[in-house]
Amino acid sequence: LCLRQCSFNAAISACEKGVKWQVTFGLLANMDEKVVAPDEVSFSAAISACEKGQQWEWAVVLFHSIKRRKLLPDLVAFSAIVGACATAGRWQWALRLLSETRLSSLTPNVVTYSSAISAYGRHWEWTLVLLDDMKCAQLTPNVVTCGAVISACEKGQQWEQVLVIMVEMQQAQTNLSSTAFN
């Protein structure tokens, strides 16, 4: 049974990497038909495939399927669903899911925070709040995180905040890339 479940999970993961999000639904259905219950790994990989395929609505459907099956979403599932919502510009969903991560006794990581921060677009104030939350959680922002905050501040014409963040990045010795400066 484990071998079959591992095989299905590997196939779903391959679909994620190939951005074949539609195929993941067939594989999940096939698992049910073969009496191989999809687990957290199955759903996390399928949600990640939806994230990469820019299918945030389907990612949400899968995320709710995890709960309906009485499974506990892991940090990979939360990060992927937050990322899917962020890519679609659904910052309200991203924020709600980030809060849900904390309520489920998981600790959001840099990827989860970076995804949520990316969702905010022009809402620079919220990106700064999340950046502070991240620092309070003793997580070090990476280039993606800082780039998203800088981008939001730039869109909000908050150049003073951009300078503050860049100084903080330099002090933290975050590896600055040309993307952070553009």
Side-chain angles (χ1 to χ4, degrees):
L1 186 66
C2 179
L3 181 60
R4 290 195 304 173
Q5 188 175 49
C6 292
S7 298
F8 274 107
N9 287 349
I12 292 170
S13 188
C15 290
E16 171 209 348
K17 288 164 185 50
V19 194
K20 301 288 185 193
W21 63 271
Q22 304 96 324
V23 178
T24 63
F25 286 93
L27 288 168
L28 289 171
N30 202 335
M31 287 178 85
D32 282 334
E33 289 171 11
K34 304 283 186 205
V35 193
V36 179
D39 62 3
E40 292 88 342
V41 174
S42 314
F43 282 106
S44 294
I47 291 168
S48 292
C50 289
E51 174 193 14
K52 289 180 176 69
Q54 298 181 353
Q55 299 295 317
W56 77 274
E57 297 99 335
W58 286 113
V60 170
V61 168
L62 289 171
F63 189 77
H64 289 303
S65 294
I66 295 174
K67 294 177 175 185
R68 240 188 348 270
R69 291 174 179 257
K70 307 273 189 271
L71 298 171
L72 296 174
D74 59 11
L75 197 53
V76 173
F78 273 109
S79 294
I81 188 75
V82 169
C85 292
T87 301
R90 305 292 180 178
W91 62 269
Q92 300 96 332
W93 277 87
L95 183 60
R96 182 169 22 155
L97 290 160
L98 181 65
S99 297
E100 200 173 316
T101 304
R102 293 184 194 122
L103 293 174
S104 67
S105 70
L106 291 171
T107 304
N109 60 17
V110 175
V111 173
T112 315
Y113 272 106
S114 295
S115 294
I117 288 170
S118 295
Y120 280 102
R122 294 190 186 278
H123 302 280
W124 62 271
E125 302 95 336
W126 284 105
T127 63
L128 295 176
V129 168
L130 286 179
L131 185 63
D132 281 344
D133 281 356
M134 193 175 171
K135 291 175 186 174
C136 287
Q138 298 180 339
L139 293 170
T140 304
N142 62 16
V143 174
V144 174
T145 312
C146 295
V149 174
I150 288 170
S151 176
C153 290
E154 180 265 327
K155 288 174 185 167
Q157 299 178 357
Q158 299 297 313
W159 62 269
E160 300 94 348
Q161 290 295 332
V162 171
L163 294 175
V164 168
I165 293 163
M166 290 176 68
V167 167
E168 286 178 3
M169 287 172 66
Q170 193 172 31
Q171 288 173 345
Q173 296 180 350
T174 301
N175 232 348
L176 297 175
S177 71
S178 58
T179 355
F181 289 109
N182 288 332

